[in-house]
Amino acid sequence: MNLAATPEPSTPPRRARVVVVGAGPAGLTVANILRAASVDCVVLETESREFIEQRPRAGFIEEWAVRALEQRGLAERLLARAQTHGECEFRWAGERHRFAYGELSGHRHFVYPQPLLVTDLVRSYADEAGGDIRFGVRDVALHDIDTDHPSVSYTDRETGERTRIDCDAVAGCDGARGVTRTYLGAERATVARHDYGIGWLALLAEAPPSSDCVVFGIHPRGFAAHMARSPQVTRYYLECPPGDDPENWPHERVWSELHARLTVAGTPPLTEGRLIEKRVLDMHNYVVEPMSHGHLYLAGDAAHLAAPIAAKGMNLALHDAFLLGDALVAYCAEGNASELSGYSDACLPPVWQYQEFSQWLSELLHGASSGVPFEAGTAAARLRRILGSPAAAAAFAEIYIGKGAGV
Ligand code: FAD
């Protein structure tokens, strides 16, 4: 199937067992698993290596995902450098409430910025294992994915040459704005989407963290959050109208709102710093079902998006990648297609667990600022329940760290 007219290849076709489209956490994890099993694969990435190794995004990796990376020999630097967190704090109605989810669940978050994980995964795949990765490609197109001769073509940014790679399977790991999802088409997949009607101003500040844990500020002026990224850099979020212009948020306004929404009695003042990232996210989630068609298998944000409310997106991307990498190895190295056939069904239950939790947490975090008294009342009841009932606290702790979600 060709969705768009693409130029004819200008070089002889190459062959690989698997083409991985996209070098984010999902694609690079799949590629590393394939490479470790000596399955021939090529990774295609539109951006440069320098760009993907610096693109700031996630920072909280759940313990099960770290252990799965470790089992595959992909967590050495992470384990040497990451801090762990097992507590978060709700600041609400003028008071602070610590929540020890690590003690309750027996699991912790590892704080490791996404660009560092991507850097480690590129190094391990390309530099250490000699894997094939093409940066800066353009006009990636899939062909004949529902036949027994699928292929992927792309244009080399520097030479302008068009190359086709014949393969057995395509891993669509090109994120929320990629192309692979479009090859499933409306007749083959449904896209379930939820818009929160809320914006978050996502900020990175060149400032040390002002707390030793994640802080959720629940405030009638709007939600705010504080999350460590490194000893020198902190991520902050401020609820804002969806579609707001980051230019409406000069340095002074950002810090004044953060102080107003995150300060309660007994908290140390926030340490201010230069804002090195400032962008508005229109909060929405989606899930593509099924996550595969023909010889195309979607993984990560290409298949499902979780707004960063509960820090779940990269964790789910890694979960897909472990399943897909292992299934592709079973298929390519042993001729066993059963894991690939069951891939989508295996991924989707935890995807929906995390979607449901993100929606639930969003209602809790945004109720106070919704302007709707009923939503404010139910959000406050929900918060009192997890702070007051050991059973509710344990249930919250488990899903927050990913336990019992099927991951
Ligand atoms: P991506 O990381 O988007 O990678 C896709 C890759 O494909 C990119 O490198 C892209 O350049 C490339 N690409 C795109 N189009 C093409 C194409 N046509 N051809 C070839 N390559 C292409 N998640 C968490 O779990 N914890 C957190 O704390 C957290 N915080 C977040 C904070 C913010 C501000 C944001 C925006 C997201 C956050 N997330 C978090 C979500 C997380 O960043 C994503 O879920 C994660 O990046 C998904 O990984 P991926 O590999 O599926 O996609």
Side-chain angles (χ1 to χ4, degrees), residues 20-28 44-47 51-52 55-62 114 118 137-140 172-180 202-203 227 229 235 237 277 279 281 299-308 310-318 320:
V20 178
V21 183
L28 289 166
L44 301 177
E45 166 60 50
T46 45
E47 302 292 349
F51 182 86
I52 65 164
R55 179 171 42 200
R57 279 192 187 167
F60 276 68
I61 313 182
E62 294 167 3
Q114 184 167 334
V118 165
V137 301
R138 285 190 285 113
D139 302 326
V140 171
C173 306
D174 48 350
R177 296 197 178 83
V179 295
T180 58
L203 302 152
M227 295 173 189
R229 281 295 185 262
R235 186 173 274 298
Y237 293 112
E277 189 200 40
R279 64 189 176 118
L281 308 174
D301 283 8
H304 40 74
L305 190 78
K312 293 297 189 193
M314 186 166 74
N315 290 286
L316 275 180
L318 291 171
D320 293 349

Coordinates of all heavy atoms in Angstrom, one line a residue, residues 20-28 44-47 51-52 55-62 114 118 137-140 172-180 202-203 227 229 235 237 277 279 281 299-308 310-318 320, ligand 1:
V20 N 13.4 -0.4 11.5 CA 12.8 0.3 12.6 C 12.7 1.8 12.2 O 13.7 2.4 11.9 CB 13.7 0.1 13.9 CG1 13.2 0.9 15.1 CG2 13.9 -1.3 14.2
V21 N 11.5 2.3 12.3 CA 11.3 3.7 11.9 C 11.2 4.5 13.2 O 10.2 4.4 13.9 CB 10.0 3.9 11.0 CG1 9.9 5.3 10.6 CG2 10.0 3.0 9.8
G22 N 12.2 5.4 13.4 CA 12.2 6.2 14.6 C 13.2 5.8 15.7 O 13.2 4.6 16.0
A23 N 14.0 6.7 16.1 CA 15.1 6.4 17.1 C 14.8 7.1 18.4 O 15.6 7.9 18.9 CB 16.5 6.8 16.6
G24 N 13.6 6.9 18.9 CA 13.3 7.3 20.3 C 13.5 6.1 21.2 O 14.1 5.1 20.8
P25 N 13.1 6.2 22.5 CA 13.3 5.1 23.4 C 12.7 3.8 22.9 O 13.3 2.7 23.0 CB 12.5 5.5 24.7 CG 12.5 7.0 24.6 CD 12.4 7.4 23.1
A26 N 11.5 3.8 22.2 CA 10.9 2.5 21.7 C 11.8 1.9 20.6 O 12.2 0.8 20.7 CB 9.5 2.8 21.2
G27 N 12.1 2.7 19.6 CA 12.8 2.2 18.4 C 14.2 1.7 18.8 O 14.7 0.7 18.3
L28 N 14.9 2.5 19.6 CA 16.3 2.1 20.0 C 16.3 0.9 20.8 O 17.2 0.1 20.7 CB 16.9 3.3 20.7 CG 17.2 4.5 19.8 CD1 17.6 5.8 20.6 CD2 18.4 4.2 18.8
L44 N 15.8 4.1 10.9 CA 15.7 5.3 10.1 C 15.2 6.4 11.1 O 14.2 6.2 11.7 CB 14.7 5.1 9.0 CG 15.0 4.0 8.0 CD1 13.9 3.9 6.9 CD2 16.4 4.3 7.3
E45 N 15.9 7.5 11.1 CA 15.5 8.6 12.0 C 15.6 10.0 11.2 O 16.6 10.2 10.6 CB 16.5 8.6 13.2 CG 16.4 9.9 14.1 CD 15.1 10.2 14.7 OE1 14.5 9.3 15.3 OE2 14.6 11.4 14.6
T46 N 14.5 10.8 11.3 CA 14.5 12.0 10.6 C 15.5 13.1 11.2 O 16.0 13.9 10.4 CB 13.1 12.6 10.6 OG1 12.5 12.6 11.9 CG2 12.2 11.9 9.6
E47 N 15.7 13.0 12.5 CA 16.5 14.1 13.1 C 18.0 13.6 13.1 O 18.3 12.5 12.8 CB 16.1 14.3 14.5 CG 14.6 14.8 14.6 CD 14.4 16.2 14.1 OE1 15.3 16.9 13.8 OE2 13.2 16.5 13.9
F51 N 20.6 16.1 17.8 CA 19.3 16.5 18.2 C 18.6 15.5 19.1 O 18.1 15.9 20.2 CB 18.4 16.8 17.0 CG 17.0 17.3 17.3 CD1 16.8 18.7 17.4 CD2 16.0 16.4 17.4 CE1 15.6 19.2 17.7 CE2 14.7 16.9 17.8 CZ 14.5 18.3 17.9
I52 N 18.6 14.3 18.8 CA 17.8 13.3 19.6 C 18.5 13.1 21.0 O 17.8 12.8 21.9 CB 17.5 12.0 18.9 CG1 18.8 11.2 18.6 CG2 16.7 12.1 17.7 CD1 18.5 9.7 18.3
R55 N 17.1 16.2 23.0 CA 15.7 16.6 23.1 C 15.1 16.3 24.5 O 15.0 15.1 24.9 CB 14.9 15.8 22.0 CG 13.4 16.1 22.0 CD 12.8 15.5 20.8 NE 13.2 14.1 20.5 CZ 13.1 13.5 19.4 NH1 12.6 14.1 18.3 NH2 13.6 12.3 19.2
P56 N 14.7 17.4 25.3 CA 14.3 17.1 26.6 C 12.8 16.6 26.6 O 12.0 17.1 25.9 CB 14.4 18.5 27.3 CG 14.2 19.4 26.2 CD 14.7 18.8 24.9
R57 N 12.5 15.7 27.5 CA 11.1 15.2 27.6 C 11.0 14.5 29.0 O 10.9 15.2 30.0 CB 10.8 14.2 26.5 CG 10.4 14.9 25.2 CD 9.8 13.9 24.3 NE 9.5 14.4 23.0 CZ 9.2 13.7 21.9 NH1 9.2 12.4 22.1 NH2 9.0 14.2 20.8
A58 N 10.9 13.2 29.0 CA 10.6 12.4 30.2 C 11.8 12.4 31.2 O 12.9 12.8 30.8 CB 10.2 11.0 29.8
G59 N 11.5 12.0 32.4 CA 12.6 11.9 33.3 C 12.3 10.8 34.4 O 13.3 10.4 35.1
F60 N 11.1 10.2 34.4 CA 10.8 9.3 35.5 C 10.6 7.9 34.9 O 9.6 7.7 34.1 CB 9.6 9.7 36.3 CG 10.0 10.7 37.4 CD1 10.4 11.9 37.1 CD2 9.9 10.3 38.7 CE1 10.8 12.8 38.1 CE2 10.3 11.2 39.7 CZ 10.8 12.4 39.4
I61 N 11.4 6.9 35.2 CA 11.3 5.6 34.7 C 11.0 4.7 35.8 O 11.6 4.7 36.9 CB 12.6 5.1 34.0 CG1 13.2 6.2 33.1 CG2 12.4 3.8 33.2 CD1 14.4 5.8 32.3
E62 N 9.9 3.8 35.6 CA 9.5 2.9 36.6 C 10.4 1.8 36.8 O 11.1 1.3 35.8 CB 8.0 2.5 36.2 CG 7.1 3.6 36.3 CD 5.7 3.3 35.6 OE1 5.5 2.2 35.2 OE2 4.9 4.3 35.6
Q114 N 15.3 11.6 29.7 CA 15.1 10.8 28.4 C 16.3 11.0 27.5 O 16.8 10.0 26.9 CB 13.8 11.3 27.7 CG 13.5 10.5 26.5 CD 12.1 10.7 26.0 OE1 11.2 11.0 26.8 NE2 11.8 10.5 24.8
V118 N 18.4 8.0 25.7 CA 18.5 7.9 24.2 C 20.0 7.8 23.9 O 20.4 7.0 23.0 CB 17.8 9.1 23.5 CG1 18.2 9.2 22.1 CG2 16.3 8.9 23.6
V137 N 17.1 11.2 7.7 CA 16.4 10.7 6.5 C 15.1 11.6 6.3 O 14.6 12.2 7.2 CB 16.0 9.3 6.6 CG1 17.2 8.4 6.8 CG2 15.0 9.0 7.7
R138 N 14.7 11.6 5.0 CA 13.4 12.4 4.7 C 12.5 11.4 4.0 O 12.8 10.4 3.4 CB 13.8 13.5 3.8 CG 14.4 14.7 4.5 CD 14.5 15.9 3.6 NE 15.5 15.8 2.6 CZ 15.3 15.7 1.3 NH1 14.1 15.7 0.8 NH2 16.3 15.6 0.4
D139 N 11.2 11.8 4.0 CA 10.2 11.2 3.2 C 10.1 9.7 3.3 O 10.1 8.9 2.3 CB 10.3 11.5 1.7 CG 10.3 13.0 1.4 OD1 9.6 13.7 2.2 OD2 11.1 13.5 0.6
V140 N 10.1 9.2 4.6 CA 10.0 7.8 4.8 C 8.6 7.3 4.3 O 7.6 7.9 4.6 CB 10.2 7.5 6.3 CG1 9.9 6.0 6.6 CG2 11.6 7.9 6.7
G172 N 7.1 0.4 13.7 CA 6.7 1.8 13.6 C 6.9 2.4 14.9 O 6.0 2.4 15.8
C173 N 8.0 3.1 15.1 CA 8.4 3.7 16.4 C 8.6 5.2 16.3 O 9.5 5.7 16.9 CB 9.6 3.0 17.0 SG 9.5 1.2 17.1
D174 N 7.9 5.8 15.4 CA 8.2 7.2 15.0 C 7.3 8.2 15.8 O 7.1 9.4 15.3 CB 8.1 7.4 13.5 CG 6.8 6.8 12.9 OD1 6.1 6.1 13.6 OD2 6.6 7.1 11.7
G175 N 6.8 7.9 16.9 CA 6.2 8.9 17.8 C 4.9 9.4 17.4 O 4.3 8.9 16.4
A176 N 4.4 10.4 18.0 CA 3.1 11.0 17.8 C 2.9 11.7 16.5 O 1.8 11.8 16.0 CB 2.7 11.9 19.0
R177 N 4.1 12.1 15.9 CA 3.9 12.9 14.7 C 4.6 12.1 13.5 O 4.9 12.7 12.5 CB 4.6 14.3 14.8 CG 3.9 15.1 15.8 CD 4.4 16.6 15.7 NE 3.7 17.4 16.6 CZ 4.1 17.6 17.9 NH1 5.1 17.0 18.3 NH2 3.4 18.4 18.7
G178 N 4.7 10.8 13.6 CA 5.4 10.1 12.6 C 4.4 9.7 11.5 O 3.3 10.2 11.4
V179 N 4.9 8.8 10.6 CA 4.1 8.5 9.4 C 3.6 7.0 9.5 O 2.6 6.7 8.8 CB 4.9 8.6 8.1 CG1 5.3 10.0 7.8 CG2 6.2 7.7 8.1
T180 N 4.1 6.2 10.3 CA 3.8 4.8 10.2 C 2.3 4.5 10.6 O 1.7 3.7 10.0 CB 4.7 3.9 11.1 OG1 4.7 4.3 12.4 CG2 6.2 3.9 10.6
A202 N 5.0 23.5 29.8 CA 6.1 22.7 30.2 C 7.3 23.5 30.2 O 7.7 24.1 29.3 CB 6.2 21.5 29.3
L203 N 8.0 23.5 31.4 CA 9.2 24.3 31.6 C 10.4 23.5 32.1 O 10.2 22.5 32.8 CB 8.9 25.3 32.7 CG 7.7 26.2 32.5 CD1 7.0 26.7 33.8 CD2 8.1 27.4 31.7
M227 N 9.4 18.7 39.3 CA 10.0 17.3 39.2 C 11.5 17.5 38.9 O 11.9 18.2 38.0 CB 9.4 16.6 38.0 CG 7.9 16.3 38.1 SD 7.2 15.6 36.7 CE 5.4 15.7 37.2
R229 N 15.1 16.8 37.5 CA 15.7 16.1 36.3 C 17.1 15.8 36.6 O 17.6 14.7 36.2 CB 15.5 17.0 35.1 CG 14.1 17.0 34.5 CD 13.8 15.6 33.9 NE 12.5 15.6 33.2 CZ 11.4 15.2 33.8 NH1 11.3 14.8 35.0 NH2 10.3 15.1 33.0
R235 N 12.3 20.2 36.1 CA 11.1 20.5 35.3 C 9.9 21.0 36.1 O 9.7 20.5 37.2 CB 10.7 19.1 34.6 CG 9.6 19.4 33.6 CD 9.2 18.2 32.7 NE 9.9 18.0 31.5 CZ 10.0 18.9 30.5 NH1 9.4 20.0 30.5 NH2 10.7 18.5 29.4
Y237 N 5.7 22.3 35.7 CA 4.5 22.5 34.8 C 3.6 23.5 35.5 O 3.4 23.6 36.7 CB 3.8 21.1 34.7 CG 4.5 20.0 34.0 CD1 4.9 18.9 34.7 CD2 4.7 20.1 32.6 CE1 5.6 17.9 34.0 CE2 5.4 19.1 31.9 CZ 5.8 18.0 32.7 OH 6.5 17.0 32.0
E277 N 13.5 25.7 28.6 CA 12.4 25.2 27.7 C 11.1 25.7 28.2 O 10.9 25.8 29.4 CB 12.4 23.6 27.7 CG 11.5 23.1 26.6 CD 11.0 21.7 26.9 OE1 10.7 21.3 28.0 OE2 10.9 20.9 25.9
R279 N 7.2 25.4 26.6 CA 6.2 25.2 25.5 C 4.9 24.7 26.1 O 4.8 24.2 27.2 CB 6.8 24.2 24.5 CG 7.0 22.8 25.1 CD 7.8 22.0 24.0 NE 8.1 20.7 24.5 CZ 7.7 19.6 24.0 NH1 6.9 19.6 22.9 NH2 8.1 18.4 24.5
L281 N 1.7 22.3 26.1 CA 1.2 21.0 25.6 C -0.3 21.0 25.8 O -0.9 21.4 26.8 CB 1.7 19.9 26.5 CG 3.2 19.8 26.8 CD1 3.6 18.8 27.8 CD2 4.0 19.5 25.5
A299 N 4.8 0.8 18.0 CA 5.2 0.8 19.4 C 5.4 2.2 19.9 O 5.8 3.1 19.2 CB 6.6 0.0 19.5
G300 N 5.1 2.4 21.2 CA 5.3 3.7 21.8 C 4.3 4.7 21.4 O 3.1 4.4 21.1
D301 N 4.7 6.0 21.4 CA 3.8 7.1 21.1 C 3.2 6.9 19.7 O 2.1 7.6 19.4 CB 4.5 8.4 21.2 CG 4.7 8.9 22.6 OD1 4.4 8.1 23.5 OD2 5.1 10.1 22.8
A302 N 3.7 6.2 18.8 CA 3.1 5.9 17.5 C 1.8 5.2 17.7 O 0.8 5.4 16.9 CB 4.0 5.1 16.6
A303 N 1.7 4.4 18.7 CA 0.5 3.6 18.9 C -0.4 4.2 20.0 O -1.7 4.0 20.0 CB 0.9 2.2 19.4
H304 N 0.1 4.9 20.9 CA -0.7 5.5 22.0 C 0.0 6.6 22.7 O 1.2 6.6 22.9 CB -1.0 4.4 23.1 CG 0.2 3.5 23.4 ND1 1.3 4.0 24.1 CD2 0.5 2.3 23.0 CE1 2.2 3.0 24.2 NE2 1.7 2.0 23.5
L305 N -0.7 7.7 23.0 CA -0.1 8.8 23.7 C -0.7 8.9 25.0 O -1.9 8.8 25.2 CB -0.4 10.1 22.9 CG 0.4 11.3 23.3 CD1 1.8 11.2 22.8 CD2 -0.3 12.6 22.8
A306 N 0.1 9.2 26.0 CA -0.4 9.5 27.4 C 0.2 10.9 27.8 O 1.4 11.0 27.9 CB 0.0 8.4 28.4
A307 N -0.7 11.9 27.9 CA -0.2 13.2 28.3 C 0.6 13.0 29.6 O 0.4 12.1 30.4 CB -1.4 14.1 28.6
P308 N 1.6 13.9 29.8 CA 2.6 13.6 30.9 C 2.1 13.7 32.3 O 2.8 13.8 33.3 CB 3.7 14.6 30.6 CG 3.2 15.6 29.7 CD 2.0 15.0 29.0
A310 N 0.8 11.6 34.4 CA 1.2 10.5 35.3 C 2.6 9.9 35.0 O 2.9 8.9 35.5 CB 0.1 9.4 35.3
A311 N 3.3 10.6 34.0 CA 4.6 10.2 33.6 C 4.6 8.7 33.2 O 5.4 7.9 33.6 CB 5.6 10.4 34.8
K312 N 3.7 8.4 32.2 CA 3.6 7.0 31.8 C 4.1 6.8 30.4 O 4.3 5.6 30.0 CB 2.1 6.6 31.8 CG 1.5 6.6 33.3 CD 2.2 5.5 34.1 CE 1.6 5.3 35.4 NZ 2.4 4.5 36.3
G313 N 4.2 7.8 29.5 CA 4.4 7.6 28.1 C 5.7 6.8 27.7 O 5.6 5.8 27.0
M314 N 6.8 7.2 28.3 CA 8.0 6.5 28.0 C 8.0 5.1 28.6 O 8.6 4.2 28.0 CB 9.3 7.3 28.5 CG 10.6 6.7 28.0 SD 12.0 7.7 28.2 CE 12.2 7.7 30.0
N315 N 7.4 5.0 29.7 CA 7.4 3.6 30.3 C 6.6 2.7 29.5 O 7.0 1.5 29.2 CB 6.8 3.7 31.7 CG 7.7 4.4 32.7 OD1 8.7 3.8 33.1 ND2 7.5 5.7 33.0
L316 N 5.5 3.1 28.9 CA 4.7 2.3 28.0 C 5.5 2.0 26.7 O 5.4 0.9 26.2 CB 3.4 3.0 27.6 CG 2.2 2.8 28.6 CD1 1.0 3.5 28.1 CD2 1.9 1.3 28.8
A317 N 6.2 3.0 26.2 CA 7.0 2.8 25.0 C 8.0 1.7 25.2 O 8.2 0.9 24.4 CB 7.7 4.1 24.6
L318 N 8.6 1.7 26.4 CA 9.6 0.7 26.7 C 8.9 -0.7 26.8 O 9.4 -1.7 26.3 CB 10.3 1.0 28.0 CG 11.3 2.2 27.9 CD1 11.8 2.6 29.3 CD2 12.5 1.9 27.0
D320 N 6.2 -1.8 25.3 CA 5.9 -2.2 23.9 C 7.2 -2.8 23.3 O 7.3 -3.8 22.6 CB 5.5 -1.1 23.0 CG 4.1 -0.5 23.3 OD1 3.4 -1.2 24.1 OD2 3.8 0.5 22.8
Ligands
FAD1 P1 9.6 9.4 20.5 O1 10.4 9.6 21.7 O2 8.7 10.5 20.0 O3 10.6 9.0 19.3 C1 10.1 8.9 18.0 C2 11.3 9.2 17.0 O4 10.9 9.1 15.7 C3 11.8 10.6 17.2 O5 13.2 10.5 17.4 C4 11.4 11.3 15.9 O6 12.4 12.3 15.5 C5 11.4 10.1 14.9 N1 10.5 10.3 13.8 C6 9.4 11.0 13.7 N2 8.9 10.9 12.4 C7 9.7 10.1 11.7 C8 9.7 9.6 10.4 N3 8.7 9.9 9.5 N4 10.7 8.8 10.0 C9 11.7 8.4 10.9 N5 11.7 8.9 12.2 C10 10.7 9.7 12.6 N6 7.0 9.7 29.8 C11 7.3 9.0 31.0 O7 7.2 7.8 31.0 N7 7.8 9.7 32.1 C12 7.9 11.1 32.1 O8 8.4 11.6 33.1 C13 7.5 11.8 30.9 N8 7.6 13.2 30.9 C14 7.3 13.8 29.7 C15 7.4 15.2 29.7 C16 7.1 15.9 28.5 C17 7.2 17.4 28.5 C18 6.7 15.2 27.3 C19 6.4 15.9 26.0 C20 6.6 13.8 27.4 C21 6.9 13.1 28.5 N9 6.7 11.8 28.6 C22 7.0 11.1 29.8 C23 6.4 11.0 27.4 C24 7.6 10.4 26.7 O9 8.5 11.5 26.4 C25 7.2 9.7 25.4 O10 6.1 8.9 25.7 C26 8.3 9.0 24.7 O11 9.2 9.9 24.1 C27 7.8 8.0 23.7 O12 8.9 7.4 23.1 P2 8.8 6.8 21.5 O13 10.1 6.2 21.2 O14 7.5 6.1 21.4 O15 8.6 8.2 20.7

